[in-house]
Amino acid sequence: MAHFKPGSCVRIGGEQILVDTLLGSGGQADVYRVLNLDRKCYQAMKHLYGIYVDDRPTFYRKVRVLADHRDESIHPDLVWPEAVSELDEATQSFCYLMELLPPEYKSVAVIMREPDRFPLDQRLRLCIKLAEIFDTMHKYKYIYTDISAGNLFYRIDRDGGIHLKVIDCDNISLEEKSLGLKGTGLFRAPEILTERSLPTIQSDLHALAVAVFRMLVGCHPLDGRRTRSAAFTPENIVKYFGEEPEYIFSGSSGNPPCSPEFRARFVQLGEALQVYFQLMFSPGRLAGTGIRPGAESLKLALQQCRNRRN
Protein backbone atom coordinates (compact mmCIF):
# COMPACT_ATOMS: atom_id res chain seq x y z
CA MET A 1 0.00 0.00 0.00
CA ALA A 2 1.30 3.46 -0.92
CA HIS A 3 2.63 5.47 2.01
CA PHE A 4 1.81 8.83 0.40
CA LYS A 5 -1.63 9.76 -0.88
CA PRO A 6 -2.27 12.17 -3.77
CA GLY A 7 -2.13 15.70 -2.40
CA SER A 8 0.37 14.86 0.36
CA CYS A 9 3.17 17.37 0.86
CA VAL A 10 6.78 16.41 1.50
CA ARG A 11 9.85 18.58 2.02
CA ILE A 12 12.98 17.36 0.24
CA GLY A 13 16.22 19.29 0.00
CA GLY A 14 14.50 22.44 1.22
CA GLU A 15 11.87 22.28 -1.54
CA GLN A 16 8.12 21.73 -1.23
CA ILE A 17 6.93 18.60 -3.03
CA LEU A 18 3.30 17.75 -3.81
CA VAL A 19 2.51 14.07 -4.41
CA ASP A 20 0.50 13.47 -7.59
CA THR A 21 0.23 9.74 -8.41
CA LEU A 22 1.85 6.41 -7.56
CA LEU A 23 3.84 5.17 -10.57
CA GLY A 24 4.98 1.81 -9.23
CA SER A 25 5.86 -0.22 -6.17
CA GLY A 26 8.64 -2.74 -5.62
CA GLY A 27 7.90 -4.08 -2.16
CA GLN A 28 10.53 -2.03 -0.31
CA ALA A 29 10.17 1.12 -2.42
CA ASP A 30 7.47 3.19 -4.11
CA VAL A 31 7.94 5.67 -6.96
CA TYR A 32 5.58 8.65 -7.34
CA ARG A 33 4.99 11.38 -9.86
CA VAL A 34 5.32 14.60 -7.88
CA LEU A 35 5.13 18.33 -8.50
CA ASN A 36 8.04 20.40 -7.27
CA LEU A 37 6.25 23.57 -6.17
CA ASP A 38 9.48 25.56 -5.96
CA ARG A 39 10.83 24.61 -9.38
CA LYS A 40 7.34 24.40 -10.91
CA CYS A 41 8.07 21.10 -12.66
CA TYR A 42 7.18 17.44 -12.35
CA GLN A 43 9.73 14.98 -11.01
CA ALA A 44 9.81 11.40 -9.78
CA MET A 45 10.12 10.68 -6.06
CA LYS A 46 11.34 7.35 -4.73
CA HIS A 47 10.38 6.36 -1.18
CA LEU A 48 12.49 3.60 0.39
CA TYR A 49 11.11 1.85 3.47
CA GLY A 50 11.26 -1.48 5.28
CA ILE A 51 14.45 -3.55 5.08
CA TYR A 52 15.56 -2.28 1.67
CA VAL A 53 19.23 -3.11 2.40
CA ASP A 54 21.11 -4.64 5.33
CA ASP A 55 22.91 -1.43 6.37
CA ARG A 56 20.30 1.30 5.90
CA PRO A 57 22.14 4.23 7.53
CA THR A 58 25.21 3.67 5.33
CA PHE A 59 23.01 3.27 2.24
CA TYR A 60 21.29 6.56 3.07
CA ARG A 61 24.64 8.35 3.42
CA LYS A 62 25.73 6.89 0.07
CA VAL A 63 22.62 8.23 -1.70
CA ARG A 64 23.24 11.65 -0.17
CA VAL A 65 26.80 11.58 -1.54
CA LEU A 66 25.47 10.66 -5.00
CA ALA A 67 22.94 13.51 -4.85
CA ASP A 68 25.54 16.01 -3.63
CA HIS A 69 27.67 15.16 -6.66
CA ARG A 70 24.85 14.95 -9.20
CA ASP A 71 26.47 17.63 -11.38
CA GLU A 72 29.40 15.24 -11.75
CA SER A 73 27.18 12.36 -12.91
CA ILE A 74 29.45 10.13 -14.96
CA HIS A 75 26.97 9.68 -17.83
CA PRO A 76 23.98 11.79 -18.93
CA ASP A 77 21.77 8.71 -19.38
CA LEU A 78 22.03 7.71 -15.72
CA VAL A 79 18.96 8.96 -13.83
CA TRP A 80 20.86 10.29 -10.81
CA PRO A 81 19.43 11.14 -7.35
CA GLU A 82 18.91 14.92 -7.25
CA ALA A 83 17.83 15.74 -3.69
CA VAL A 84 17.37 13.59 -0.58
CA SER A 85 15.04 13.97 2.40
CA GLU A 86 16.10 13.60 5.99
CA LEU A 87 16.33 10.01 7.26
CA ASP A 88 13.41 9.00 9.47
CA GLU A 89 15.36 7.65 12.45
CA ALA A 90 12.42 5.58 13.71
CA THR A 91 11.73 3.71 10.45
CA GLN A 92 15.06 4.27 8.59
CA SER A 93 12.97 5.34 5.57
CA PHE A 94 13.67 8.28 3.26
CA CYS A 95 12.76 9.81 -0.11
CA TYR A 96 14.74 11.25 -2.96
CA LEU A 97 13.93 13.13 -6.16
CA MET A 98 15.03 12.22 -9.67
CA GLU A 99 14.21 12.96 -13.30
CA LEU A 100 10.70 11.95 -14.38
CA LEU A 101 10.92 10.02 -17.63
CA PRO A 102 8.31 10.93 -20.27
CA PRO A 103 5.65 8.26 -20.89
CA GLU A 104 7.27 7.45 -24.24
CA TYR A 105 9.99 5.57 -22.36
CA LYS A 106 9.29 1.84 -22.00
CA SER A 107 11.08 -0.98 -20.19
CA VAL A 108 13.44 -3.03 -22.37
CA ALA A 109 11.48 -6.05 -21.09
CA VAL A 110 9.24 -5.39 -24.13
CA ILE A 111 12.22 -5.96 -26.46
CA MET A 112 13.39 -9.03 -24.55
CA ARG A 113 9.97 -10.66 -24.85
CA GLU A 114 9.38 -9.82 -28.53
CA PRO A 115 12.68 -8.88 -30.18
CA ASP A 116 11.35 -9.33 -33.71
CA ARG A 117 9.02 -6.35 -33.24
CA PHE A 118 12.15 -4.21 -33.48
CA PRO A 119 14.60 -4.16 -36.41
CA LEU A 120 17.95 -5.70 -35.51
CA ASP A 121 19.74 -2.43 -36.22
CA GLN A 122 17.60 -0.61 -33.62
CA ARG A 123 18.35 -3.29 -31.06
CA LEU A 124 22.06 -3.15 -31.82
CA ARG A 125 22.09 0.64 -31.40
CA LEU A 126 20.30 0.38 -28.05
CA CYS A 127 22.74 -2.29 -26.90
CA ILE A 128 25.72 -0.16 -27.99
CA LYS A 129 24.36 2.71 -25.90
CA LEU A 130 23.88 0.35 -22.95
CA ALA A 131 27.45 -0.92 -23.25
CA GLU A 132 28.75 2.69 -23.45
CA ILE A 133 26.95 3.61 -20.22
CA PHE A 134 28.41 0.70 -18.27
CA ASP A 135 31.85 1.03 -19.84
CA THR A 136 31.96 4.60 -18.49
CA MET A 137 30.62 3.55 -15.09
CA HIS A 138 33.15 0.75 -14.66
CA LYS A 139 36.06 2.97 -15.69
CA TYR A 140 35.14 5.14 -12.69
CA LYS A 141 35.16 1.95 -10.52
CA TYR A 142 31.43 2.18 -9.84
CA ILE A 143 29.27 -0.91 -9.78
CA TYR A 144 25.56 -0.81 -10.49
CA THR A 145 24.71 -4.16 -8.80
CA ASP A 146 21.21 -4.54 -10.30
CA ILE A 147 21.27 -4.52 -14.12
CA SER A 148 17.83 -5.85 -15.11
CA ALA A 149 14.95 -5.19 -17.49
CA GLY A 150 13.11 -3.17 -14.85
CA ASN A 151 15.90 -0.60 -14.60
CA LEU A 152 16.54 0.00 -18.32
CA PHE A 153 14.14 2.22 -20.31
CA TYR A 154 14.25 3.06 -24.01
CA ARG A 155 12.57 5.47 -26.42
CA ILE A 156 12.58 5.29 -30.21
CA ASP A 157 11.68 8.49 -32.07
CA ARG A 158 9.72 8.63 -35.31
CA ASP A 159 12.84 9.75 -37.13
CA GLY A 160 14.70 6.67 -35.86
CA GLY A 161 16.55 8.35 -32.99
CA ILE A 162 17.10 6.10 -30.00
CA HIS A 163 17.41 6.91 -26.31
CA LEU A 164 18.21 4.75 -23.29
CA LYS A 165 18.03 5.62 -19.60
CA VAL A 166 19.25 3.69 -16.56
CA ILE A 167 17.06 4.35 -13.53
CA ASP A 168 17.39 3.45 -9.82
CA CYS A 169 20.91 4.84 -9.58
CA ASP A 170 20.70 4.55 -5.81
CA ASN A 171 21.91 1.00 -6.66
CA ILE A 172 25.31 2.39 -7.63
CA SER A 173 27.97 1.48 -5.12
CA LEU A 174 31.12 3.36 -4.33
CA GLU A 175 34.44 1.58 -3.89
CA GLU A 176 32.84 -1.76 -4.85
CA LYS A 177 30.71 -1.94 -1.69
CA SER A 178 27.27 -3.28 -2.52
CA LEU A 179 25.66 -2.67 0.91
CA GLY A 180 23.52 -5.80 0.60
CA LEU A 181 22.12 -5.25 -2.93
CA LYS A 182 22.43 -8.49 -4.85
CA GLY A 183 20.69 -8.00 -8.17
CA THR A 184 17.47 -9.27 -9.70
CA GLY A 185 16.37 -12.75 -10.74
CA LEU A 186 18.24 -14.54 -13.51
CA PHE A 187 20.29 -11.48 -14.40
CA ARG A 188 22.44 -12.35 -11.39
CA ALA A 189 25.83 -13.95 -11.99
CA PRO A 190 26.39 -17.53 -10.77
CA GLU A 191 28.62 -16.34 -7.93
CA ILE A 192 25.82 -14.07 -6.68
CA LEU A 193 23.12 -16.75 -6.94
CA THR A 194 25.26 -19.19 -4.97
CA GLU A 195 26.32 -16.46 -2.49
CA ARG A 196 30.01 -17.03 -3.21
CA SER A 197 30.50 -13.30 -3.71
CA LEU A 198 28.95 -9.90 -3.24
CA PRO A 199 28.38 -7.86 -6.41
CA THR A 200 31.47 -6.59 -8.23
CA ILE A 201 32.26 -5.17 -11.65
CA GLN A 202 32.62 -8.79 -12.76
CA SER A 203 29.04 -9.66 -11.77
CA ASP A 204 27.86 -6.42 -13.43
CA LEU A 205 29.46 -7.62 -16.67
CA HIS A 206 27.59 -10.94 -16.52
CA ALA A 207 24.26 -9.16 -15.98
CA LEU A 208 25.02 -6.72 -18.81
CA ALA A 209 25.76 -9.61 -21.19
CA VAL A 210 22.53 -11.37 -20.17
CA ALA A 211 20.52 -8.19 -20.84
CA VAL A 212 22.09 -7.69 -24.29
CA PHE A 213 21.71 -11.37 -25.19
CA ARG A 214 18.03 -11.29 -24.29
CA MET A 215 17.45 -8.12 -26.36
CA LEU A 216 19.14 -9.67 -29.39
CA VAL A 217 18.24 -13.37 -29.14
CA GLY A 218 15.04 -13.32 -27.07
CA CYS A 219 16.01 -15.84 -24.39
CA HIS A 220 18.37 -16.24 -21.45
CA PRO A 221 21.82 -17.55 -22.47
CA LEU A 222 21.69 -20.30 -19.83
CA ASP A 223 18.03 -21.26 -20.22
CA GLY A 224 17.85 -24.23 -22.59
CA ARG A 225 16.18 -27.63 -22.81
CA ARG A 226 18.05 -28.96 -19.78
CA THR A 227 16.89 -26.14 -17.52
CA ARG A 228 13.34 -26.27 -18.92
CA SER A 229 13.11 -30.03 -18.21
CA ALA A 230 13.26 -29.33 -14.46
CA ALA A 231 10.70 -27.64 -12.22
CA PHE A 232 11.25 -23.88 -11.88
CA THR A 233 11.95 -23.94 -8.14
CA PRO A 234 14.37 -21.78 -6.12
CA GLU A 235 16.59 -24.85 -5.65
CA ASN A 236 16.72 -25.57 -9.39
CA ILE A 237 17.35 -21.91 -10.21
CA VAL A 238 20.44 -22.01 -8.00
CA LYS A 239 21.48 -25.36 -9.49
CA TYR A 240 21.08 -24.56 -13.20
CA PHE A 241 21.96 -20.85 -13.18
CA GLY A 242 24.46 -20.86 -10.29
CA GLU A 243 26.06 -24.20 -9.49
CA GLU A 244 25.87 -26.01 -12.87
CA PRO A 245 25.22 -23.33 -15.52
CA GLU A 246 25.65 -24.26 -19.19
CA TYR A 247 25.59 -21.88 -22.16
CA ILE A 248 22.94 -22.83 -24.71
CA PHE A 249 25.28 -22.27 -27.67
CA SER A 250 28.39 -23.99 -26.31
CA GLY A 251 29.91 -26.46 -28.75
CA SER A 252 28.94 -29.59 -26.82
CA SER A 253 25.94 -28.19 -24.98
CA GLY A 254 23.66 -30.58 -23.20
CA ASN A 255 21.43 -27.54 -22.76
CA PRO A 256 20.60 -26.44 -26.34
CA PRO A 257 18.15 -23.62 -27.09
CA CYS A 258 14.47 -24.45 -26.68
CA SER A 259 13.39 -23.00 -30.02
CA PRO A 260 14.95 -22.77 -33.50
CA GLU A 261 14.02 -19.06 -33.60
CA PHE A 262 16.64 -18.38 -30.91
CA ARG A 263 19.35 -20.01 -33.03
CA ALA A 264 18.16 -18.13 -36.12
CA ARG A 265 18.51 -14.78 -34.31
CA PHE A 266 21.89 -15.79 -32.90
CA VAL A 267 23.25 -16.64 -36.36
CA GLN A 268 22.40 -13.10 -37.55
CA LEU A 269 24.80 -11.60 -35.00
CA GLY A 270 28.00 -12.54 -36.79
CA GLU A 271 31.33 -13.83 -35.55
CA ALA A 272 32.49 -11.00 -33.26
CA LEU A 273 29.37 -11.03 -31.08
CA GLN A 274 29.17 -14.82 -31.10
CA VAL A 275 32.77 -15.03 -29.89
CA TYR A 276 32.09 -12.42 -27.20
CA PHE A 277 29.14 -14.44 -25.84
CA GLN A 278 31.17 -17.67 -26.08
CA LEU A 279 33.87 -16.07 -23.93
CA MET A 280 31.42 -14.47 -21.50
CA PHE A 281 29.51 -17.68 -20.86
CA SER A 282 32.46 -20.10 -21.01
CA PRO A 283 32.67 -22.75 -18.25
CA GLY A 284 35.57 -20.99 -16.54
CA ARG A 285 33.90 -17.60 -16.40
CA LEU A 286 30.59 -19.11 -15.27
CA ALA A 287 32.56 -20.84 -12.52
CA GLY A 288 34.12 -17.53 -11.53
CA THR A 289 37.70 -18.52 -12.40
CA GLY A 290 38.25 -16.18 -15.34
CA ILE A 291 38.10 -12.44 -15.95
CA ARG A 292 35.00 -11.53 -17.98
CA PRO A 293 35.25 -9.40 -21.14
CA GLY A 294 34.66 -5.74 -20.30
CA ALA A 295 31.85 -3.49 -21.49
CA GLU A 296 34.21 -1.91 -24.02
CA SER A 297 34.73 -5.33 -25.63
CA LEU A 298 30.97 -5.74 -25.85
CA LYS A 299 30.60 -2.30 -27.43
CA LEU A 300 33.22 -3.10 -30.08
CA ALA A 301 31.61 -6.46 -30.91
CA LEU A 302 28.21 -4.79 -31.26
CA GLN A 303 29.67 -2.10 -33.52
CA GLN A 304 31.34 -4.74 -35.68
CA CYS A 305 28.03 -6.54 -36.05
CA ARG A 306 26.28 -3.34 -37.04
CA ASN A 307 29.04 -2.31 -39.47
CA ARG A 308 28.96 -5.72 -41.10
CA ARG A 309 25.23 -5.44 -41.69
CA ASN A 310 25.46 -1.90 -43.05
Side-chain angles (χ1 to χ4, degrees), residues 208-242:
L208 174 63
V210 169
V212 168
F213 190 94
R214 289 184 59 184
M215 290 171 70
L216 296 176
V217 180
C219 67
H220 191 289
L222 309 178
D223 188 16
R225 291 180 185 172
R226 173 171 166 259
T227 55
R228 289 302 176 106
S229 67
F232 200 67
T233 63
E235 295 76 17
N236 282 337
I237 288 172
V238 172
K239 178 180 179 180
Y240 292 119
F241 293 88

Side-chain angles (χ1 to χ4, degrees), residues 15 53 66 101 105 128 167-168 213 228 235 241 246 288:
E15 297 177 333
V53 292
L66 292 173
L101 295 183
Y105 277 88
I128 289 169
I167 67 168
D168 282 356
F213 190 94
R228 289 302 176 106
E235 295 76 17
F241 293 88
E246 189 174 5

Side-chain angles (χ1 to χ4, degrees), residues 116-186:
D116 293 337
R117 284 180 51 194
F118 305 83
L120 178 55
D121 189 66
Q122 280 187 348
R123 286 181 279 141
L124 287 168
R125 290 164 62 204
L126 284 168
C127 290
I128 289 169
K129 188 170 280 289
L130 182 60
E132 287 174 348
I133 293 169
F134 284 95
D135 181 38
T136 300
M137 188 183 301
H138 292 160
K139 283 177 177 175
Y140 279 85
K141 305 300 182 185
Y142 285 98
I143 57 172
Y144 183 74
T145 73
D146 193 17
I147 299 171
S148 65
N151 290 334
L152 308 175
F153 281 73
Y154 75 95
R155 187 184 93 213
I156 300 175
D157 298 334
R158 290 184 178 181
D159 63 1
I162 62 154
H163 309 269
L164 188 77
K165 293 284 189 179
V166 179
I167 67 168
D168 282 356
C169 287
D170 56 11
N171 293 325
I172 291 174
S173 291
L174 311 174
E175 302 172 354
E176 300 199 351
K177 295 179 181 178
S178 69
L179 300 178
L181 294 166
K182 296 180 182 178
T184 296
L186 299 182

Side-chain angles (χ1 to χ4, degrees), residues 52-123:
Y52 47 88
V53 292
D54 297 334
D55 186 348
R56 290 174 290 174
T58 301
F59 182 87
Y60 171 74
R61 290 195 294 272
K62 180 200 74 170
V63 177
R64 288 209 72 125
V65 169
L66 292 173
D68 289 344
H69 294 274
R70 63 187 181 276
D71 293 337
E72 302 166 28
S73 174
I74 56 178
H75 198 284
D77 292 322
L78 293 169
V79 181
W80 211 254
E82 295 183 13
V84 187
S85 72
E86 296 299 320
L87 181 68
D88 185 316
E89 297 292 347
T91 64
Q92 299 291 295
S93 64
F94 70 97
C95 302
Y96 73 82
L97 298 174
M98 57 185 169
E99 175 189 356
L100 177 67
L101 295 183
E104 293 80 16
Y105 277 88
K106 309 296 181 186
S107 166
V108 299
V110 177
I111 302 175
M112 293 176 180
R113 286 194 302 267
E114 300 179 83
D116 293 337
R117 284 180 51 194
F118 305 83
L120 178 55
D121 189 66
Q122 280 187 348
R123 286 181 279 141

